[in-house]
Amino acid sequence: MPRARLWAAGGALLLGAGLWSTVAQAQIYTCVDAKGRRLTSDRPIVECLDREQHQMGNTGTVIRTLPPSYTADERARLEAQRKLEAEQRARVLEERRRERALLIRYPNQGVHDKERAEALAQIDEVIGAVNKRELALVAQRKEIDVELEFYQSDVSKAPSWLRRKLEDNEKQMVVQKRFLDEQAQEKQRINARFDEELAKLKQLWAANGVRTGSAGSTSSTSSTSSTGSAATSR
């Protein structure tokens, strides 16, 4: 046989041996099963289908890692778990965004107290206007009562224009009282919101080294009591 053919045949044998070595190397799998046993095989291991398996090289290095093989139900549960975790991460990120926004808006308690006072002052201004309207309605009712005396306070004997005037006055008084109740509830909502923000802000300020406390702080207790006093005076 010519020497060239001998070299070609030898090269083919070496190449085939190398390929077989690579194939053999690529078929070594290892894992630790549910009982803690380390298993090794030349193919994916059935006992470890629910956990990771490592494909090893001859030197003991990991060539690649096979993920667990899940059933349809297991994949659905895993997907639901991943979705839940993603939602939780999104909530955490949103909470951090809100915290940064709060710190930017309220760098200290003085700013927060001032905004609370301004919000409450707007409600108090509306309440003051309603109180004036209510006093005007009370004065109007007294005038109506004086006119009704001519009819011995018998509304049925009064002319239609006077009856309409009385009916309108009574309706307006009901509207004004309902509106005052709504404004009192709005003040409570405002104080509740600012109280909740303040509790969170105190933690954030402390974490950022900001001193809390303000000489002009507006407490929800004092604001609520002032609202109650206004309602009592009416």
Side-chain angles (χ1 to χ4, degrees):
M1 180 181 294
R3 182 173 297 180
R5 287 188 176 182
L6 288 174
W7 279 108
L13 288 173
L14 289 174
L15 180 59
L19 290 173
W20 174 254
S21 175
T22 301
V23 171
Q25 172 179 304
Q27 295 297 320
I28 300 174
Y29 298 88
T30 182
C31 69
V32 177
D33 68 3
K35 297 180 180 179
R37 300 176 301 176
R38 180 168 292 281
L39 305 179
T40 302
S41 177
D42 61 350
R43 66 195 65 191
I45 303 168
V46 176
E47 292 85 344
C48 292
L49 290 178
D50 62 339
R51 62 199 61 231
E52 288 186 347
Q53 301 185 45
H54 300 299
Q55 191 173 350
M56 311 294 291
N58 290 334
T59 60
T61 57
V62 177
I63 298 176
R64 68 189 181 104
T65 299
L66 279 69
S69 299
Y70 299 105
T71 64
D73 289 342
E74 289 172 337
R75 285 195 297 271
R77 286 195 297 269
L78 182 61
E79 182 63 27
Q81 179 63 27
R82 289 173 178 169
K83 183 179 179 181
L84 179 61
E85 292 173 353
E87 291 174 351
Q88 291 174 342
R89 288 193 296 270
R91 282 195 294 269
V92 170
L93 291 175
E94 176 61 18
E95 180 63 20
R96 291 177 179 173
R97 185 197 66 78
R98 289 185 68 255
E99 290 175 354
R100 289 194 297 270
L102 275 176
L103 283 173
I104 292 172
R105 184 172 181 176
Y106 306 115
N108 55 62
Q109 188 170 345
V111 176
H112 190 259
D113 290 342
K114 180 182 178 183
E115 185 163 320
R116 182 203 292 258
E118 290 174 349
L120 293 174
Q122 291 178 2
I123 301 297
D124 288 335
E125 185 176 350
V126 174
I127 291 175
V130 175
N131 284 333
K132 289 181 179 179
R133 173 58 179 161
E134 195 174 43
L135 291 174
L137 289 171
V138 170
Q140 185 187 57
R141 178 56 188 265
K142 289 180 179 180
E143 294 174 357
I144 294 173
D145 290 341
V146 170
E147 293 178 349
L148 283 173
E149 289 178 358
F150 181 78
Y151 305 97
Q152 299 177 346
S153 298
D154 188 349
V155 178
S156 63
K157 296 179 180 179
S160 59
W161 65 267
L162 185 56
R163 293 199 301 270
R164 286 195 300 270
K165 190 174 182 180
L166 175 61
E167 183 181 355
D168 181 66
N169 181 273
E170 291 174 344
K171 288 181 179 179
Q172 287 296 318
M173 287 294 292
V174 171
V175 170
Q176 299 306 310
K177 290 183 181 299
R178 183 170 63 245
F179 191 71
L180 285 174
D181 290 340
E182 291 173 353
Q183 295 306 303
Q185 293 174 8
E186 179 64 17
K187 288 188 74 170
Q188 291 178 353
R189 284 192 292 269
I190 290 173
N191 275 315
R193 176 174 70 84
F194 276 93
D195 287 343
E196 182 181 357
E197 284 181 351
L198 184 59
K200 184 65 176 179
L201 281 165
K202 284 183 176 180
Q203 298 176 3
L204 297 175
W205 289 328
N208 288 272
V210 178
R211 295 180 60 185
T212 59
S214 172
S217 63
T218 305
S219 65
S220 59
T221 304
S222 61
S223 298
T224 304
S225 63
S226 65
T227 303
S229 300
T232 304
S233 65
R234 293 195 302 273

